[in-house]
Amino acid sequence: MKPFQYRAPTLLSEALSLLASAGQRARALAGGTDLLVQMRRGLISADLIVDVKKVFELNRLDFDPSDGLTIGAAVPLCRICESPEVARHYPGLVDALSIIGSVAVRSRATVGGNLCNAAPSADSIPALIVHGATCTVASREGTRQVPVARFCTGPGKTVLGPGELLVSVHVPPPQPRSGARYLRFTPRHEMDIAVVGVAAWLELSEGLSTIANARIALGAVAPTPLLAVEAGASLVGRTPSAGAFAEAAALAQRVAAPISDVRGTAAQRRHLVGILTRRALEGALQRARGAEPDGRQG
Amino acid sequence: MTAGAVGESVRRVDIEAKVQGRRRYPQDFSLPGMLHAVVVWAGYPHARIRRIDPSEALAVPGVLAVLTHEDVPVNEYGINIYDQPVLASDKVRWLGDRVAVVVAETLRAAERARDLVRVDYEELPIVDDPLEAMRPEATLVHEDRRSNLLKHIYVRRGNVEEGFAAADVIVEGTYHTPFVEHAYLQPEAGLAYIDDEGRVTVICAAQWPHDDLRQIAHALALPLEQVREVVPAVGGAFGGREDISVQILVALAAWRLRRPVKMVWSREESIRGHGKRHPFHMRHRWGATKEGRLTAVEIEAVLDAGAYASTSVPVLENAVSFLAGPYAVPHARIDGYAVYTNNAVTMAMRGFGATQPPVGYELQMDRLAEALGMDPVEIRMRNLLEPGSIAVTGNRMPAVTSARETLRAAALAAGWREEPQGWRRPGASILRASHLRRGIGVACAYKNVGYSFGFDDRSTAIVELALASDGSIQSALVRCAAVEVGQGVTTVLAQLAAQTLGLEVSRVRVALTDTAATPSAGSSSASRHVFMSGNAVVKACRQALEKRDAALREESGATRIVAEATFRGHDVRRTTAYDIVDGHCEPHISYSFGTQIAIVEVDIETGAVQVDRLIAATNAGTPVNPRLCLGQVAGGVHMGVGYALMEEFIQQKGQVRTARLSEYHIPTVADMPRELESIFTEVPDPDGPYGATGLGETPTLPTAPAILNAIHDATGAWITELPATPERVWRALRGVPAQPAAPARRPCP
């Protein structure tokens, strides 16, 4: 690893000035579970590391029934998963955040880091997408909002420009009669990277008989996590049924554009998109009806 | 008086220091004035080296030397034959070949300079498939040999044509096992320096330090007395530390530069730089009568030996003796081939040629059972070797032959019943979901204890007693270079000494392995230390007691007694090499047997397999330390689960595709069977110390075939290529429709 400057500001303005001062040669450090590994391996080099763990705005974890959930970009995953409010109102998020890495990794790693690392297989991103989450991005010039679904632009690439910092992620307030589920498939149970990840979110109509709204997002089957728009739309207005879920699963398979690599072939990935979409929809439906699905993944 | 003696689960003698982080592993050692060395690895899996230009690297400030083949006095090494260059000279044959070593004042300087060593290569065609490599026109990995065939070993017993003619049913199968990475916790590391007696001393992890000395001394052209190896705490070995890794490189650098030199491999270098478990291609043809008795077996196995011989020949020898399984069969034709390729070197790994065969022979057994409509336990009971049986190699099996006891114990624990008409499997159980199928699978396996085929296997121990004035023993020191690689041998040797001397185990100390202070115990492999070094320690203790008694009789006033004893495998059983005509021999000194029964759940939509319950019945003779034995079983099953379901070191055209542990999956605790039940059958080995024998490898052997047989029981699909990844299972299952939940499609517990 090459030598670099390390700064740990406490004020957001200071962090933004530091990032602006070094431009492309600066990197923000939160948990470091991706950044440090990539620096050691020589994949990333930086002159300035801005540790953002001391910045107040990046360490908020606030829930308000009418405002929703705000997750500071530097909040470690374990803190989010251990929050009773997150567990109660966003179990579909906990599905995703509680299976990233190991206990040790989750006590360092952050949602902000998972987003900025922009891996196609990032577990948090499909779950955030189906919840309709938005990123707050700041720079010295000001602040802008970017939907999570548009945050990643390619493997390892995001919308962040030089001097910009992901401050927080905002998840809209929980809707009544709604439920979400994230499932991933990995060859081993823990400490693994998704071969396929699928998040589903359903909102039922008042009588619980039809689907009022639905979103499905896929991970590890395209250069970025993907919102499967048509798959979700196909469910709107329909009665939840095996047939409707199978149709949505087939539409999800159609937008998936997987590659073959050491983790799995494209054919297996496409097949798994179908299975996991159906299972995630079943889990989301159970939650929308107030029940808890079987806890096992995949 | 003998608290902590044989049969007690005393606490490991090294555990406190390890848990508290006080024990030092090789990379924890440093010395003043120490230099850092890094390897320049082969740039291609097969290429001619035209020129090595170190000038740019040498210009980096802090760089002292770039060592190449020209700096190695005798540029060859190898555990069995010297076919491996210390530093590649004319060509590289795999990506793990070392081309140069950069030595610098700092690690950063060494790493920077490594990228500046210019090596001019001429790429050569690659041979990466052992079956292709056997063709006469194949590219030669070693041009001084006429072919890539390293060794062919065979057994001819009876007349297989006659045997197949007598068969009512014949089953055939082909099986493939992958390269497997040892993935020990501690990557290779070493520190070399010149000690005060002028010896090149290497601190490193090893399995047989005295054998390392032979290879270091040979390469450096030094007398044996001028090299020394010290082995501190070792973070796992599993066979992967039998071969030389950093030893000669750091010794060479320290000898040339007359300063301490340290080398630490990264995980990626470790995976690239050390050998793997041999992949086997196996073809089986078995015949049996309608009563389920074997009449003939015909087996062919091709082993990928990789770029250099390493221990491929003895692995092949072992494999050929085990390929037909622990069964009595009158007619056998068995052929095994080890073939050079440009793939990773293949070497010892937990089982040493006994791990791959059960994947073939135990699936064959279940195929026979299915063809005959017989219970899988019953058909095995009808064929298993017992004491006095003649094995395929023509030898008579010894008293410790306990295959039946392990099968009986495992079967009973799994719910089998022994009825007048034979063994019967347990009934059906309820499933949790419609996409799950449950199945149960049985597998038996066995393994030699000690070095085989005529090798003069021996272990030497020195015991020093400190006596009080009345002649009572105050404490004992055991000197024996049996390397503690995590298996618990230090504790077991202390217990055996305590038992023999009538001492509390806390009064026995086992010296750290140092070739200058501890005599050779042979290798920490072949499940051999309990048997070989255990016997040596007991023998030395008995001699020490005799000397003590004599001293008392003579009233010599001695306060210190020293006794040295060597235990030789030959004294128990004189093993022999394969006969040139029919392959008959006395293969092994002693044996360990085990049976496992796996109950699995298969997700038929994704192909994912979860082992729900695993019953492991193992014979360790009389266990010296039951808790340590359980540790060996749990660790063995863990490796077996990885072998069965996920571990596969993948190379394409000689390039590594699983270069990191995020790509090469080993199981975590979450992948272990939800329930693991370990049973020790305790059939004593009359030749072992207090009836004990080795069990380090046996528990890993039956796991994979038991799981494969359970997958078949659950789904009807035969998975014949390891690992049974979700994708392989899913592909094998395509066309198997989803069915409603409970009861299970086939009866199982």
Side-chain angles (χ1 to χ4, degrees), chain B residues 651-726:
Chain B
Q651 294 159 103
Q652 267 181 354
K653 298 266 161 237
Q655 300 286 344
V656 179
R657 293 203 52 200
T658 47
R660 289 189 280 273
L661 290 180
S662 59
E663 293 155 349
Y664 182 89
H665 287 116
I666 57 173
T668 75
V669 71
D671 302 296
M672 280 289 277
R674 293 188 187 119
E675 196 186 326
L676 171 64
E677 186 179 341
S678 169
I679 304 166
F680 293 108
T681 48
E682 303 201 21
V683 176
D685 187 336
D687 302 314
Y690 302 102
T693 190
L695 93 152
E697 296 163 288
T698 301
T700 216
L701 312 183
T703 314
I707 290 171
L708 294 182
N709 283 340
I711 293 172
H712 173 71
D713 187 52
T715 65
W718 288 112
I719 308 295
T720 54
E721 182 175 6
L722 285 184
T725 58

Side-chain angles (χ1 to χ4, degrees), chain A:
Chain A
M1 194 159 32
K2 292 196 174 72
F4 54 83
Q5 257 214 323
Y6 170 86
R7 302 289 294 274
T10 50
L11 294 177
L12 180 58
S13 56
E14 203 185 336
L16 295 175
S17 298
L18 283 166
L19 287 172
S21 70
Q24 308 268 30
R25 301 297 304 158
R27 297 297 288 230
L29 167 78
T33 57
D34 284 314
L35 182 67
L36 294 184
V37 175
Q38 291 170 22
M39 286 176 70
R40 280 212 191 94
R41 209 176 276 159
L43 301 175
I44 289 181
S45 71
D47 298 334
L48 172 67
I49 293 297
V50 182
D51 186 338
V52 293
K53 284 196 289 295
K54 292 179 180 155
V55 178
F56 170 78
E57 287 83 349
L58 280 82
N59 277 288
R60 289 173 56 197
L61 182 64
D62 296 332
F63 174 71
D64 183 287
S66 54
D67 284 353
L69 176 69
T70 302
I71 306 170
V75 177
L77 299 172
C78 64
R79 208 179 125 202
I80 307 169
C81 295
E82 282 163 12
S83 152
E85 283 158 331
V86 176
R88 181 163 353 119
H89 299 296
Y90 303 98
L93 270 188
V94 176
D95 285 346
L97 306 189
S98 61
I99 59 174
I100 294 174
S102 60
V103 173
V105 166
R106 288 193 293 277
S107 53
R108 298 288 298 180
T110 63
V111 164
N114 205 222
L115 275 162
C116 292
N117 188 53
S121 57
D123 290 307
S124 74
I125 303 178
L128 288 167
I129 289 175
V130 298
H131 281 87
T134 313
C135 302
T136 298
V137 174
S139 69
R140 274 204 310 197
E141 281 68 49
T143 298
R144 62 182 177 126
Q145 307 292 322
V146 182
V148 170
R150 286 210 289 274
F151 187 79
C152 301
T153 56
K157 293 198 170 71
T158 69
V159 297
L160 291 183
E164 279 194 314
L165 176 67
L166 174 62
V167 176
S168 61
V169 178
H170 180 258
V171 190
Q175 300 300 308
R177 303 177 306 281
S178 75
R181 181 84 166 121
Y182 174 74
L183 294 174
R184 76 168 179 196
F185 188 83
T186 52
R188 72 177 168 193
H189 285 94
E190 292 181 354
M191 305 262 306
D192 207 351
I193 294 164
V195 174
V196 169
V198 177
W201 177 87
L202 289 178
E203 185 188 7
L204 298 178
S205 63
E206 261 182 57
L208 300 180
S209 58
T210 57
I211 297 166
N213 210 343
R215 284 192 286 269
I216 294 165
L218 315 176
V221 292
T224 67
L226 209 61
L227 178 63
V229 181
E230 285 176 28
S234 76
L235 292 164
V236 177
R238 297 188 59 179
T239 309
S241 66
F245 286 176
E247 221 172 280
L251 287 168
Q253 283 179 299
R254 205 183 297 169
V255 292
I259 55 162
S260 292
D261 64 16
V262 73
R263 296 183 204 289
T265 62
Q268 184 204 17
R269 285 191 156 112
R270 196 178 296 279
H271 166 72
L272 288 172
V273 166
I275 303 293
L276 263 58
T277 301
R278 196 199 72 221
R279 291 184 186 177
L281 284 167
E282 287 165 358
L285 177 65
Q286 278 180 281
R287 281 185 173 146
R289 287 171 171 165
E292 195 42 35
D294 177 10
R296 294 192 61 214
Q297 284 288 323

